[in-house]
Amino acid sequence: MARKLPKKDVVIIGLGWTGSIMAHELTDAGLDVIAIERGPWRDAPTEFPPSYAQDELRYRIRHELFLRPDQTTFTFRNKMSETALPIRTWGAFMPPNGVGGGGVHWNAETWRFLPSDFVLRTHLTERYGASFLPDDMTIQDWGVTYDDLEPHYDAFEYLCGTSGTAGNLKGQIKDGGNPFEGPRSRPYPTPAQKQGYGHTLWAKAARELGYKPFPQPSGNMSQAYTNPLGLRMGPCTYCGFCEWFGCGNYSKASPQTTILPVLIRKSNFSARDNSEVTRINTDSSGKRATGVTFVDSQNQEWEQPADLVILAAYSMFNVQLLLLSKIGQPYDPTANTGVVGRNFTHQAMSSVDGFFDKSKFNFNPFIASGAIGMCIDEFNGDNFDHGPLGFVGGGYLGQVQTNGRPIETTPVPSGTPKWGAQWKKAVADYYLSSLKGGSIHASMYSYRDVYLDLDPTYKDRFGRPLMRMTIDFHDNELKAAAYLTDKYADIVKAMGAEKVDKSPRKGSYDVTKYQTTHLNGGAIMGADPKTSALNRYLQSWDVSNLFVLGASAFPQNAGYNPTGTVAALTFWAAAAIRNQYLKNPGPLVHA
Amino acid sequence: MRWGPVWVCDMLLRRRDLLATTACLLLGAVSAKAAILHERLPWLPNTADPPQRATPGPWLFFNGAEGRAMEAIADRIIPPDPQTPGGKDAGCADFLDRQLAGPYGRAEGLYVRPPFMPGKTQQGPQSKDSPAEKYRKGLAALDHACRSKYAGKTFAELSDGDKDTVLKGLESGDLKLDGADGKAFMEQAVKDVQMGFFADPIYGGNRDMAAWKMIGYPGARYNYLDWIERHNERFPLPPVSITGRAEWTPRG
Amino acid sequence: MRSRIVSSIAVGAGALLFCVAGSYAANKLDGQDFTQVERGRYLATAADCTGCHTIPERGRPFAGGRAIETPFGNIISPNITPDPETGIGNWSDDDFDRALRKGVRSDGSMLYPAMPYTSYTKMSRDDVMAIRAFLSTVPAVRTQAPPNTLPFPFNIRAAMRVWDALYFTEGEFKPDPQKSADWNRGAFLVQGPAHCGACHTPKSFLGGDKTADYLRGSYLQGWFAPNITNDARRGLGGWSVDDIATYLKTGHNRVTAATGPMAEEVALSSSQMTDGDLKAIATYLKSIDGGQDNPAPVRADDPAMVAGQAIYRDVCSACHGIDGHGVPQLFPSLADSSMVRSDDSTTLIRIILRGARSVATKDEPTSPAMPSFAWQLDDAKVAAVVTYIRNAWGKPAPAVAADVVGKARTDLQPRTD
């Protein structure tokens, strides 16, 4: 029997990036806010100090900072005709858990999407004609534009101290930056990070091939920074233990370094950790949320009533909670009805390894940060003519090698035996003179038969159905992957590599092969309640005092890391709540 | 004479101090309790959750035969050479022994609810067996297969050439094991041995940071601000483990 | 007999006071009363009454009950809310003044100098009455503080008369006409309500101030309150007036951060004082001579220095920088820090072993924390890296031996802060 707690103005489910930003905004507006986080409190001095944070086995291989599948996981199948089986150990992605969420252990690659990304269907139809797009591709316009979001991208970048070089300042293209980016109102708050030898040489080769390389926008500080809340960060020291790891010296943007120390001092804010929300409660009409039910670490059930519910968990868990709480019509891929679960996407990553003469090249791969690197955007989005190519979409190409951690990053040329004396020699020969992976960060567009729903068989520790992923790659993405991989390989070759090994994304979607934790969609935003779960302000069409933040709102994925856009949308929704909703609670958009 | 207010007596802290060993507190159990975060960032002095070090000594998981087999496998996956020890002397079997005796071996944290059904490779491992169980079965089946094929010799007793033949056979699938998936076993063994080779020495492998010295990896360092723009130069400092290096101890 | 007469007078006076106190609390205060209460609030903040008389996070300001640790046992702070039975509601103005400026309780018994009457004596009667007026406005709390746990013979208050004769010089602050108004204000604050010497002046074995070593630093409860004279090497000689004022106001400056008991002081007291007062304190402190000495630096090839350098480069430089200068307002500059060069290295050792959270204030909310290294570094290694950071960057300091670290490690073990 759930015990009822005193009512709050706002309950926020999850205290990661979106929960922290929204809590900061709503406490600023004077509201009484409680956040409920499934995982533990985390902070650098006690959870990832620079005395033992640099432990590859513990954090990169055993994933100690991440969600444990036995706490909850998903089931997976490629096609509707198959039986989904549980993801018993993480592979293709790695969900976060704890205060700070993925913001604790992300790379801090901080991108904006392209203006055309937000009006994708309109844009591609105009340029290539409707029949150019596959019939079962379900891409949509977002309902917001890049211009709507620009001030909010800016707000996030200044919150984080993002290090970069602007490429488009108020319409003026600037040398050294990304010439394809949407116009920004002001420069990055700090200059771009310094680059290593491999990154620099790659950029030189790219330039010589006629591309316009620029430094990756980085939430690892290029210099000490004080953000608008008065919080201080130190300069990144290029330790090479960034993504998968917490930052030990306050130099990676995270909720802990950019928001929480100020948020926690506010008398109108509190949070509970190690408490999992199991249900969003609604009244008898089903149109109004009354609060949430959560379970603490002692397995005690509690009810937290609130006037406004913000669902700010990791994207997939947003969708699962909506389904379990029976909010919104579940998507049926056969009938093509319903909205919750549709337009589920991931990323279509490819890689290229380059091997160089060790007597001439020493890349010191262990000196790097999570968002270091040089990129080109010529092959992202619709920045290039897809007409003759027979696919849509793309991604940035970047020599963004983040580490030389030896369990993970001791590449050998293809054809080398996987063990034995030759393997050992190849590892030693190439460790300092190889470039591993690169980032061929291709988009994944949405399809009718790629979706989320509840599994009929497998349950979590509360006995609730796990979320089921039905996902496979379509020809469009595989064609794009092959094309982009070839372009990337050309640059590595032009650098002077002895050998270039290409690994374009191929075949079926494989839950054992990691390719970012950028899972999106399932509770998408849009202009039409028949094909979206949320309106343009991320407000639920069905329950007007519920907002759902995160990449679950993306109608399709773009060729960039999502966090910048996730955060911008959160600031955008917060502004709508503060300026419109609070004055007049109710639906903000009448469809 | 010293005067001054004593700090707040928090009963929780007191209890934890009693449990402390060598001034080191393991937060694990305590941080699993739900707490309210309000007014100030949490802080506990003398708090750390350092890695669980592998202590030297007899096998914790392997029996004698398994240990011998695993050392022999490690020495073929990473053969010794004049510059760098092989998998055995680097401690890769010791590493794996400690790992299998611990949470990794027990499949702690993984989703182990039924039903267990075979799936496509893309759906990931679906076996009920934990890594520890897989190694028990695999090592037993390996020695059994060797005895049949090589006149009663266990894997460890074979010549290096024969060992390689066996391992290649497992890798290709040509050599099938009775009661274990030989191909999967070999794939995992390669991963685990190489992991032990390159992990921090506190875990039992990479003895004396031999693997790190082999490749030129400086180990658990954190500040390269003075080196990021020194391109194409050999980094001069020796590798350091999480628990340090020889130079940390004052000599004399 | 005498005490009953005293107490009945006290009751009578107390009843009168209670009415008056009631009117303080109940009435909307007129301009003059309001000013006195606000002046009293400010002085109480400077004097940090709440630091001893409020148990943190219990939400009952000035209700006492906090244990003050002394080598002789714990002294429990009394309830100083206006409650007539368990607080000071029944005290007369004279009672209150005698307690603060003479060290005598309302029943005539002696206060232990855990109550810093030896400093508060510098205040005027007007000052004390203002504090009284402020305290009369706080909510009355009915709670009896538990008794002290001082063992015999320290529980004999009468013995304090002897102590007072040795160590207590009664008397208001007398400004020095040769000095500036700022200096005088600073001197009044430091010697008087802010009672800095209570922690920062070393003590004799009986617990009295070693006045010859005024503000040159003192050990208390597992911390070393550093030298805050103008000593260039061990004190504030390298700090400007602004550096000091910024530190007191925000808890951080370009060199270092307040942690431990000083973090509490900043949060409760100096962060709420005026900029002018903080500048005055700084001006005064910069005028205090710390004596000079120049120890020989430890040689760079000393085994401790060699080992310390390796440890520093591999571990500490992650935050404190390869050049030892840290990051301003975030990670202390070991190269510039005078606390690092303290004669008594307790604070240095305990921060390394146990970690420390720096204070969060409105102006500096980041509150970065240093992690605990006790599990990673044994006594010899801590001694080596401490010796190294004390000598690596120009200003030298004596080496620290491994057994000093070992003793500190043992002493700190039972502590909860």
Side-chain angles (χ1 to χ4, degrees):
Chain A
M1 183 58 211
R3 275 175 283 172
K4 210 165 183 169
L5 289 164
K7 181 148 94 74
K8 296 276 184 183
D9 295 329
V10 186
V11 61
I12 300 183
I13 304 166
L15 194 55
W17 266 127
T18 60
S20 300
I21 291 171
M22 187 56 80
H24 165 64
E25 289 288 319
L26 297 185
T27 48
D28 238 24
L31 298 178
D32 202 15
V33 176
I34 183 160
I36 302 177
E37 165 56 46
R38 175 184 57 199
W41 165 257
R42 295 194 195 281
D43 198 11
T46 44
E47 272 70 47
F48 32 92
S51 46
Y52 58 83
Q54 56 276 55
D55 185 338
E56 186 185 5
L57 181 73
R58 185 176 184 185
Y59 297 112
R60 173 63 181 95
I61 307 297
R62 304 286 185 237
H63 319 127
E64 191 171 297
L65 291 177
F66 291 78
L67 180 68
R68 293 261 157 274
D70 72 348
Q71 190 166 2
T72 192
T73 184
F74 311 100
T75 63
F76 158 73
R77 61 185 181 181
N78 284 130
K79 302 277 185 253
M80 290 195 290
S81 53
E82 297 166 359
T83 305
L85 294 180
I87 302 175
R88 297 187 178 277
T89 180
W90 300 124
F93 56 89
M94 198 94 29
N97 193 43
V99 174
V104 165
H105 45 66
W106 66 318
N107 292 58
E109 294 159 299
T110 313
W111 293 90
R112 302 186 178 193
F113 285 5
L114 297 163
S116 56
D117 284 331
F118 293 102
V119 286
L120 192 63
R121 181 164 282 273
T122 304
H123 174 96
L124 291 178
T125 306
E126 270 174 18
R127 185 167 180 183
Y128 303 108
S131 58
F132 193 76
L133 303 173
D135 284 336
D136 60 349
M137 185 182 272
T138 54
I139 56 175
Q140 293 178 196
D141 294 355
W142 291 51
V144 288
T145 64
Y146 173 85
D147 289 339
D148 288 330
L149 294 185
E150 200 286 325
H152 305 289
Y153 274 124
D154 176 278
F156 183 60
E157 286 157 8
Y158 273 74
L159 180 76
C160 291
T162 308
S163 302
T165 304
N168 181 335
L169 268 181
K170 299 200 198 138
Q172 284 248 336
I173 304 297
K174 297 287 180 200
D175 250 0
N178 181 359
F180 296 96
E181 68 183 13
R184 50 180 71 234
S185 48
R186 52 179 174 163
Y188 284 95
T190 57
Q193 283 210 284
K194 304 207 200 305
Q195 303 295 336
Y197 186 44
H199 316 106
T200 306
L201 275 191
W202 186 92
K204 180 166 172 292
R207 217 171 280 120
E208 283 161 4
L209 287 174
Y211 300 120
K212 297 229 164 22
F214 56 90
Q216 179 167 221
S218 172
N220 313 119
M221 300 296 97
S222 62
Q223 57 193 39
Y225 178 73
T226 305
N227 82 358
L229 274 56
L231 292 172
R232 308 227 185 224
M233 286 192 271
C236 168
T237 50
Y238 304 94
C239 72
F241 292 94
C242 197
E243 75 282 5
W244 305 97
F245 300 79
C247 177
N249 61 7
Y250 292 76
S251 61
K252 175 156 76 178
S254 67
Q256 276 82 348
T257 53
T258 62
I259 300 172
L260 293 178
V262 166
L263 180 62
I264 208 125
R265 283 164 64 81
K266 295 180 180 172
S267 55
N268 54 338
F269 175 77
S270 60
R272 281 175 176 268
D273 67 359
N274 287 310
S275 299
E276 179 157 2
V277 170
T278 51
R279 196 170 59 249
I280 301 169
N281 301 316
T282 48
D283 67 9
S284 49
S285 74
K287 289 195 177 21
R288 188 178 162 73
T290 56
V292 304
T293 297
F294 70 91
V295 177
D296 69 13
S297 55
Q298 256 55 51
N299 272 328
Q300 298 289 336
E301 219 185 22
W302 301 86
E303 196 188 314
Q304 175 60 66
D307 287 329
L308 180 57
V309 177
I310 308 286
L311 180 48
Y314 175 66
S315 63
M316 303 265 277
F317 299 122
N318 283 350
V319 181
Q320 185 187 28
L321 207 51
L322 289 173
L323 289 172
L324 291 172
S325 309
K326 302 202 178 351
I327 295 173
Q329 196 188 349
Y331 173 65
D332 178 340
T334 318
N336 203 10
T337 57
V339 294
V340 186
R342 70 179 290 148
N343 285 43
F344 171 54
T345 54
H346 193 170
Q347 210 87 59
M349 304 294 286
S350 305
S351 65
V352 170
D353 290 348
F355 298 92
F356 296 76
D357 181 342
K358 69 179 184 190
S359 68
K360 298 206 181 79
F361 295 85
N362 179 348
F363 296 123
N364 284 336
F366 43 84
I367 302 179
S369 73
I372 203 171
M374 300 296 289
C375 302
I376 62 169
D377 223 18
E378 273 77 354
F379 300 108
N380 209 334
D382 198 44
N383 293 344
F384 57 117
D385 184 6
H386 291 79
L389 300 173
F391 65 84
V392 286
Y396 66 83
L397 307 185
Q399 175 33 250
V400 298
Q401 184 161 345
T402 65
N403 73 91
R405 300 184 293 259
I407 299 173
E408 171 183 3
T409 305
T410 34
V412 293
S414 65
T416 309
K418 291 193 165 58
W419 53 277
Q422 281 175 274
W423 169 84
K424 192 183 185 194
K425 183 172 184 306
V427 164
D429 280 345
Y430 285 112
Y431 173 72
L432 292 174
S433 62
S434 58
L435 293 180
K436 183 170 188 275
S439 197
I440 300 167
H441 201 282
S443 52
M444 183 167 169
Y445 289 165
S446 41
Y447 294 89
R448 186 151 153 199
D449 62 350
V450 177
Y451 66 98
L452 298 168
D453 66 358
L454 293 176
D455 193 275
T457 308
Y458 293 95
K459 311 259 181 271
D460 70 7
R461 71 196 199 285
F462 296 124
R464 305 177 306 163
L466 298 181
M467 172 121 280
R468 175 169 63 182
M469 304 163 39
T470 305
I471 174 171
D472 204 356
F473 289 118
H474 283 234
D475 282 342
N476 184 73
E477 274 65 34
L478 298 179
K479 276 205 190 104
Y483 181 80
L484 263 53
T485 304
D486 283 347
K487 294 294 181 196
Y488 191 99
D490 289 342
I491 301 172
V492 178
K493 202 173 276 146
M495 283 174 74
E498 290 178 334
K499 190 169 195 305
V500 177
D501 286 332
K502 298 192 289 196
S503 302
R505 185 59 47 187
K506 270 201 180 94
S508 305
Y509 181 91
D510 185 333
V511 103
T512 68
K513 295 189 172 21
Y514 188 76
Q515 46 157 27
T516 81
T517 301
H518 310 158
L519 291 147
N520 325 276
I524 65 176
M525 61 193 293
D528 181 354
K530 284 206 277 306
T531 53
S532 56
L534 313 172
N535 63 27
R536 64 198 298 259
Y537 300 110
L538 276 58
Q539 181 185 38
S540 163
W541 289 110
D542 301 277
V543 176
S544 65
N545 64 336
L546 171 66
F547 288 74
V548 185
L549 312 173
S552 39
F554 292 9
Q556 58 275 336
N557 199 6
Y560 298 103
N561 306 63
T563 302
T565 304
V566 165
L569 283 170
T570 305
F571 276 112
W572 160 260
I577 294 174
R578 291 180 74 166
N579 302 332
Q580 301 174 58
Y581 178 87
L582 290 177
K583 296 181 182 144
N584 189 11
L588 296 174
V589 176
H590 295 275
Chain B
M1 188 173 286
R2 310 106 173 130
W3 308 105
V6 86
W7 290 88
V8 176
C9 298
D10 180 327
M11 287 314 294
L12 195 58
L13 282 174
R14 275 277 163 79
R15 196 159 17 93
R16 225 182 289 117
D17 277 347
L18 289 174
L19 294 171
T21 51
T22 59
C24 160
L25 298 161
L26 290 167
L27 264 187
V30 176
S31 68
K33 275 188 68 141
I36 307 240
L37 305 160
H38 184 54
E39 273 182 3
R40 59 179 57 80
L41 298 176
W43 171 251
L44 295 170
N46 203 28
T47 301
D49 189 13
Q52 295 273 50
R53 270 171 254 202
T55 45
W59 301 122
L60 294 180
F61 173 78
F62 294 133
N63 63 30
E66 290 164 339
R68 277 190 295 280
M70 202 60 232
E71 282 182 332
I73 293 172
D75 241 14
R76 295 323 301 159
I77 291 176
I78 308 177
D81 63 54
Q83 286 85 41
T84 313
K88 174 167 180 264
D89 284 341
C92 295
D94 304 83
F95 163 82
L96 187 52
D97 175 75
R98 295 331 195 224
Q99 291 289 305
L100 293 174
Y104 166 69
R106 292 192 292 268
E108 251 176 47
L110 302 192
Y111 184 84
V112 292
R113 280 168 220 273
F116 289 87
M117 297 194 281
K120 299 165 24 174
T121 340
Q122 301 88 280
Q123 290 179 299
Q126 296 294 326
S127 159
K128 223 197 304 199
D129 286 343
S130 64
E133 285 161 330
K134 287 188 191 147
Y135 268 95
R136 284 256 187 272
K137 287 183 183 163
L139 289 168
L142 175 66
D143 270 350
H144 181 80
C146 289
R147 280 202 194 87
S148 323
K149 225 173 157 233
Y150 292 95
K153 291 211 182 112
T154 60
F155 180 81
E157 289 164 324
L158 302 178
S159 69
D160 283 352
D162 284 343
K163 283 182 194 142
D164 284 352
T165 304
V166 168
L167 294 179
K168 287 192 183 124
L170 288 177
E171 188 180 27
S172 66
D174 287 343
L175 175 59
K176 301 247 182 290
L177 293 181
D178 194 10
D181 181 342
K183 198 160 186 231
F185 170 80
M186 180 59 186
E187 209 178 296
Q188 192 63 48
V190 167
K191 259 203 202 112
D192 287 339
V193 167
Q194 292 176 351
M195 195 182 294
F197 193 58
F198 287 122
D200 195 293
I202 51 171
Y203 292 109
N206 192 13
R207 207 164 278 148
D208 297 326
M209 297 184 268
W212 291 354
K213 287 173 185 151
M214 178 181 98
I215 61 178
Y217 171 63
R221 293 181 175 284
Y222 222 82
N223 193 335
Y224 293 108
L225 260 175
D226 58 344
W227 267 84
I228 176 66
E229 285 190 314
R230 293 181 70 159
H231 290 173
N232 214 8
E233 289 182 54
R234 181 89 187 194
F235 183 76
L237 296 180
V240 59
S241 146
I242 282 170
T243 48
R245 54 182 165 114
E247 292 83 351
W248 284 16
T249 303
R251 246 161 287 171
Chain C
M1 180 64 168
R2 178 172 171 273
S3 62
R4 244 187 292 138
I5 294 169
V6 167
S7 63
S8 61
I9 292 172
V11 166
L16 186 61
L17 193 62
F18 182 66
C19 296
V20 174
S23 76
Y24 273 137
N27 299 344
K28 283 285 178 261
L29 302 162
D30 71 27
Q32 202 167 14
D33 283 348
F34 184 73
T35 306
Q36 189 194 34
V37 165
E38 284 313 298
R39 204 165 84 76
R41 179 199 307 280
Y42 187 79
L43 282 166
T45 300
D48 198 10
C49 310
T50 195
C52 287
H53 287 277
T54 307
I55 298 177
E57 297 165 55
R58 288 279 182 89
R60 301 195 306 178
F62 305 105
R66 189 169 188 186
I68 317 296
E69 180 186 314
T70 81
F72 313 104
N74 282 356
I75 295 175
I76 311 297
S77 64
N79 179 345
I80 56 172
T81 70
D83 185 76
E85 280 168 33
T86 61
I88 57 170
N90 268 344
W91 287 26
S92 69
D93 281 356
D94 282 346
D95 287 338
F96 189 77
D97 185 48
R98 256 197 305 278
L100 257 65
R101 298 199 300 151
K102 293 180 176 27
V104 179
R105 300 204 302 190
S106 65
D107 63 3
S109 62
M110 310 297 293
L111 284 169
Y112 292 106
M115 167 66 178
Y117 58 87
T118 46
S119 298
Y120 294 163
T121 190
K122 298 281 181 184
M123 292 195 276
S124 69
R125 187 176 166 100
D126 275 350
D127 290 335
V128 167
M129 286 305 109
I131 293 178
R132 176 108 221 249
F134 162 67
L135 284 177
S136 305
T137 68
V138 309
V141 177
R142 173 142 308 181
T143 178
Q144 187 65 51
N148 295 331
T149 60
L150 296 175
F152 181 85
F154 308 113
N155 56 349
I156 302 178
R157 286 183 182 269
M160 288 310 303
R161 279 183 218 284
V162 176
W163 192 93
D164 280 358
L166 287 172
Y167 295 114
F168 178 36
T169 308
E170 201 187 313
E172 272 183 57
F173 177 75
K174 304 264 178 301
D176 183 344
Q178 309 276 358
K179 301 279 206 298
S180 68
D182 247 10
W183 185 97
N184 276 303
R185 175 70 179 165
F188 164 71
L189 287 170
V190 172
Q191 295 171 19
H195 64 289
C196 309
C199 293
H200 287 275
T201 298
K203 307 288 183 270
S204 70
F205 80 98
L206 278 180
D209 279 0
K210 287 189 187 165
T211 47
D213 292 328
Y214 180 55
L215 298 182
R216 292 186 185 178
S218 178
Y219 172 91
L220 75 160
Q221 309 160 231
W223 294 89
F224 182 72
N227 183 324
I228 53 173
T229 69
N230 201 37
D231 183 317
R233 197 174 58 83
R234 297 162 296 180
L236 304 177
W239 292 24
S240 66
V241 162
D242 264 339
D243 287 333
I244 300 170
T246 302
Y247 178 90
L248 293 172
K249 175 122 206 136
T250 71
H252 300 257
N253 65 15
R254 68 184 169 81
V255 175
T256 191
T259 184
M262 196 60 188
E264 195 189 74
E265 188 284 326
V266 167
L268 296 176
S269 177
S270 57
S271 65
Q272 292 162 66
M273 292 169 66
T274 64
D275 292 347
D277 275 352
L278 297 180
K279 187 163 163 292
I281 290 174
T283 303
Y284 172 69
L285 291 176
K286 292 281 292 175
S287 76
I288 308 293
D289 171 44
Q292 298 296 346
D293 75 342
N294 274 314
V298 179
R299 290 167 50 111
D301 59 2
D302 183 297
M305 289 291 282
V306 173
Q309 197 272 337
I311 298 168
Y312 183 82
R313 180 66 175 92
D314 295 350
V315 184
C316 324
S317 67
C319 296
H320 292 286
I322 291 165
D323 61 2
H325 279 99
V327 175
Q329 312 289 358
L330 190 64
F331 306 133
S333 168
L334 304 179
D336 296 312
S337 166
S338 47
M339 187 277 281
V340 162
R341 290 159 185 84
S342 295
D343 292 334
D344 179 328
S345 53
T346 299
T347 293
L348 197 46
I349 292 170
R350 69 141 331 118
I351 286 180
I352 292 173
L353 291 178
R354 297 170 73 79
R357 166 83 73 190
S358 64
V359 68
T361 54
K362 190 169 62 64
D363 294 311
E364 286 290 348
T366 309
S367 165
M370 166 126 163
S372 156
F373 291 90
W375 64 275
Q376 189 182 36
L377 302 174
D378 60 25
D379 293 345
K381 296 190 176 84
V382 173
V385 76
V386 161
T387 299
Y388 175 76
I389 66 178
R390 284 156 69 85
N391 285 279
W393 298 294
K395 292 177 279 202
V400 172
D403 61 351
V404 170
V405 177
K407 186 169 179 303
R409 197 190 289 261
T410 312
D411 286 346
L412 293 166
Q413 181 68 12
R415 294 203 172 272
T416 55
D417 69 333

